[in-house]
């Protein structure tokens, strides 16, 4: 074990890249900063692969330092990294997919004037995400948790001043200014809504420490089993952690920030808001499985939050017109599937879908980015169409991504989604029906995305062109993974050996199916039919119209009016209260300023004494002394009389 690279190298390598690019940006002219950042993430991936290949049966635990040693407290506040099968998988996803997206970004962001800063922020995100998944304690996990939140804020608002703020054309400059306002608002919205979730995470940590006297995850897992703790305490702690997970993963009711986060550059959408950061909530629940296994009510909340969010995201995606917004609501929905699974204690199914989703959703976002670039930043799918003739390679990989997310055999989404639906069928019929309905809706809106972008006649006015080689490499690798990754976990009734379950089952409990093989075949047929029917429905709908009309179409296009609801119920009253308090504050200030002005008159007389001249101070002392003596003399004479 001594010959293996240290775990701290995983976050340290990208953190060094962030530091170098931020402190010494002039040392990296042209695209050299992007290559440095990409190389360091690639080196971190190599470290993760080496540690994975040499992984023993027992988790590796590397202590970094003991934080705030206090014998009287009798608590373990050590800080270190924990490398088991779950954290190993997450590290491989973060560094592997992260490397491909860094490579893609060298081309995508090549003409941006803040090219070097962009890669510094990407490296910072990767470092913080690795700290989050490797942490051996909740406080250290929270450091990474806050770090990725800050990185998300910086990257969503990366174009905070617009992309054409210095353009000579007034109309272009005005559009850029409007974009700048929208980008800044999206970044602030994400930051603020995540703070709500962070409060839940902190309250959960505080309660766990009060209940068990430790926040070390391995130690907590040991103490939980034999501890005599009130059931309500465990349930409440898990509900607090769920609030944190809901905020970070964009689940109901804290979901509206994630679609708006598409204001950032497309590589940001692929890396942070599809493949990694937004899955942190799923990781938190899976990592805390020893708590949720003892909290059935909190687990039910997790499952229903996921099921309802999956439905909300799918309904919202049906009638969107922005090529990235469709994928954003799809991400919300697919994250809901993962929450549904881990809420049902089907941790392996949820984590497996996390893996396959990282591949096919990153692929779809990067393909969308290639389309946006080819159409000179156009994002409206109504102005696309027929692009398969101009971009054959990007079209081909997009087909792989669509078939994967639609759950069509043999693509990866078929295997992972099928496992979630089987767990739901076994435990909760209502959640199964929601999940099956979402599968149909998913195939429909992704089919609609495909037909509007790639088929028919071109409806735009630009000159589309195929992506360059540097863009094609990540797309090709992700397409292969989106196609083949499902074979890592072929179910038994299909003749497989559940290789992924066997691996991840060393870190999280496995959900043992008690479903007959005939029933599993039936569920598989239903799931595949949902995907096929959804794609067929999309084809027929595309032939009639590119956009649904009527109340249902408006409902979907406005995301079920959830943003409007929040604005009327929360934002508007808050603004009214803030306005009233501002009026009171201004009135109080005016009154206090009046008092101050009245007091300044007499006070001004005293300033005459403070002239700075010694002779003036001597005269003052003399007069004061004479006054005191005179006072006592008169008092003495008066008493004698």
């Amino acid at each position: 074990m001594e010959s293996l690279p240290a775990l701290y190298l995983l976050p340290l390598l990208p953190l060094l890249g962030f530091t170098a690019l931020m402190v010494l940006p002039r040392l990296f002219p042209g695209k050299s900063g992007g290559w440095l950042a990409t190389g360091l993430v690639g080196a971190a991936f190599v470290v993760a692969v080496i540690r994975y290949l040499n992984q023993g049966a027992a988790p590796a635990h590397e202590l970094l330092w003991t934080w705030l040693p206090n014998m009287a407290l009798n608590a373990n506040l050590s800080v270190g990294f924990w490398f088991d099968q779950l954290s190993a998988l997450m590290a491989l996803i973060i560094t592997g997919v992260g490397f491909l997206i860094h490579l893609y970004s060298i081309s995508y962001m090549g003409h941006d004037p803040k090219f070097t800063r962009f890669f510094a922020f990407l490296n910072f995100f990767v470092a913080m995400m690795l700290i989050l998944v490797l942490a051996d304690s909740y406080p250290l996990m929270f450091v990474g948790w806050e770090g990725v939140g800050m990185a998300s804020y910086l990257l969503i608002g990366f174009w905070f001043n617009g992309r054409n703020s210095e353009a000579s054309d007034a109309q272009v400059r005005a559009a850029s200014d409007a974009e700048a306002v929208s980008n800044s608002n999206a970044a602030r919205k994400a930051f603020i809504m995540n703070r709500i979730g962070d409060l839940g995470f902190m309250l959960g940590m505080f309660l766990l420490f009060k209940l068990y006297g430790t926040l070390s995850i391995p130690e907590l897992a040991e103490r939980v089993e034999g501890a005599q703790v009130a059931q309500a305490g465990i349930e409440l702690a898990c509900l607090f952690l769920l609030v944190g997970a809901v905020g970070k993963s964009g689940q109901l009711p804290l979901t509206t920030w994630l679609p708006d986060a598409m204001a950032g550059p497309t590589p940001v959408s692929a890396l942070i808001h599809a493949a990694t950061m937004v899955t942190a909530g799923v990781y938190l629940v899976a990592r805390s499985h020893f708590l949720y296994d003892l909290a059935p009510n909190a687990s039910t909340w997790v499952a229903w939050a996921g099921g309802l969010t999956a439905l909300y995201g799918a309904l919202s995606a049906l009638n969107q017109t922005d090529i990235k917004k469709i994928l954003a609501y799809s991400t919300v929905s697919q994250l809901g599937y993962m929450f549904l699974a881990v809420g049902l204690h089907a941790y392996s199914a949820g984590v497996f879908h996390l893996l396959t989703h990282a591949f096919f959703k990153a692929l779809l976002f990067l393909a969308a980015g290639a389309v946006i670039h080819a159409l000179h930043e156009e994002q409206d799918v109504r102005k696309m169409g027929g692009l398969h003739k101009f971009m054959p390679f990007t079209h081909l990989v997009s087909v792989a991504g669509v078939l994967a997310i639609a759950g069509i055999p043999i693509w990866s989404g078929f295997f992972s989604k099928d496992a979630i639906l089987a767990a739901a069928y076994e435990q909760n019929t209502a959640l199964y029906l929601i999940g099956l309905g979402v599968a149909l809706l998913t195939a429909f809106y992704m089919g609609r995305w495909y037909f509007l972008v790639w088929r028919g006649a071109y409806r735009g006015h630009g000159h589309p062109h195929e992506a360059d080689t540097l863009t094609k490499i990540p797309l090709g690798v992700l397409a292969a993974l989106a196609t083949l990754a499902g074979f890592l976990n072929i179910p038994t009734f299909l003749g497989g050996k559940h290789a992924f379950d066997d691996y991840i089952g060393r870190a999280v409990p496995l959900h043992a199916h008690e479903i007959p093989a005939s029933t599993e075949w039936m569920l598989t047929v239903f799931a595949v039919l949902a995907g096929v029917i959804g794609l067929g429905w999309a084809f027929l709908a595309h032939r009639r119209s590119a956009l649904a009309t009527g109340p249902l179409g408006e409902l979907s296009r406005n995301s079920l009016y959830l943003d409007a609801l929040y604005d009327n119920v929360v934002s508007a009253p808050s603004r009214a209260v803030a306005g009233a308090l501002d009026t009171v504050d201004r009135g109080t200030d005016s009154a206090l300023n009046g008092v101050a002005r009245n007091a300044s008159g007499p006070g001004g007389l005293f300033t005459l004494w403070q002239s700075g001249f010694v002779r003036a101070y001597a005269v003052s002392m003399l007069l004061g002394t004479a006054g005191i003596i005179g006072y006592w003399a008169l008092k003495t004479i008066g008493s004698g009389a």
Side-chain angles (χ1 to χ4, degrees), residues 104 393-394 397 466-477:
Y104 174 97
F393 179 83
T394 309
V397 298
E466 183 59 278
D468 60 24
T469 302
L470 201 57
T471 301
K472 288 180 179 178
I473 293 173
L475 289 174
V477 174

Side-chain angles (χ1 to χ4, degrees), residues 149-359:
M150 174 57 71
S152 175
Y153 170 78
L154 294 171
L155 287 164
I156 293 171
F158 185 74
W159 287 322
F160 64 90
N161 57 350
R163 282 174 281 184
N164 299 292
S165 58
E166 299 180 0
S168 56
D169 187 278
Q171 189 173 0
V172 174
R173 195 165 57 250
S176 178
D177 292 342
E179 178 192 43
V181 173
S182 176
N183 294 347
S184 299
N185 287 340
R188 283 195 292 268
K189 183 177 183 179
F191 194 80
I192 292 170
M193 293 195 79
N194 270 274
R195 298 291 74 74
I196 299 172
D198 295 347
L199 176 61
F201 194 146
M202 288 191 293
L203 291 174
M205 285 196 295
F206 298 155
L207 183 54
L208 286 174
F209 189 82
K210 179 177 177 59
L211 293 174
Y212 299 105
T214 183
L215 290 174
S216 167
I217 295 173
E219 190 173 311
L220 190 61
E222 294 177 0
R223 294 190 185 185
V224 162
E225 293 185 12
Q228 299 297 320
V229 175
Q231 181 66 26
I234 301 177
E235 295 278 6
L236 185 58
C238 288
L239 287 173
F240 280 142
L241 292 180
L242 173 60
V243 174
V246 160
K248 193 64 74 182
S249 294
Q251 300 293 284
L252 289 173
L254 302 177
T255 192
T256 57
W257 70 268
L258 202 158
D260 289 358
M262 299 304 107
T266 301
V268 174
S269 305
L271 177 62
I272 297 183
H273 305 119
T276 54
M277 187 195 84
V278 290
T279 62
V282 181
Y283 173 80
L284 174 62
V285 176
R287 175 56 75 203
S288 307
H289 63 84
F290 51 88
L291 295 170
Y292 284 94
D293 286 344
L294 300 176
N297 294 324
S299 296
T300 301
W301 277 92
V302 174
W304 275 101
L308 294 176
T309 303
L311 183 60
Y312 165 79
L315 291 172
S316 299
L318 293 177
N319 211 32
Q320 298 296 320
T321 58
D322 186 301
I323 188 172
K324 286 173 62 178
K325 278 287 184 74
I326 297 170
L327 298 178
Y329 282 108
S330 170
T331 299
V332 169
S333 183
Q334 296 301 306
L335 288 167
Y337 266 131
M338 300 174 208
F339 270 78
L340 191 157
V342 295
L344 295 174
H345 300 166
Y347 301 108
S348 177
V351 174
F352 188 48
H353 196 58
L354 185 158
L355 172 68
T356 61
H357 178 263
F359 297 148

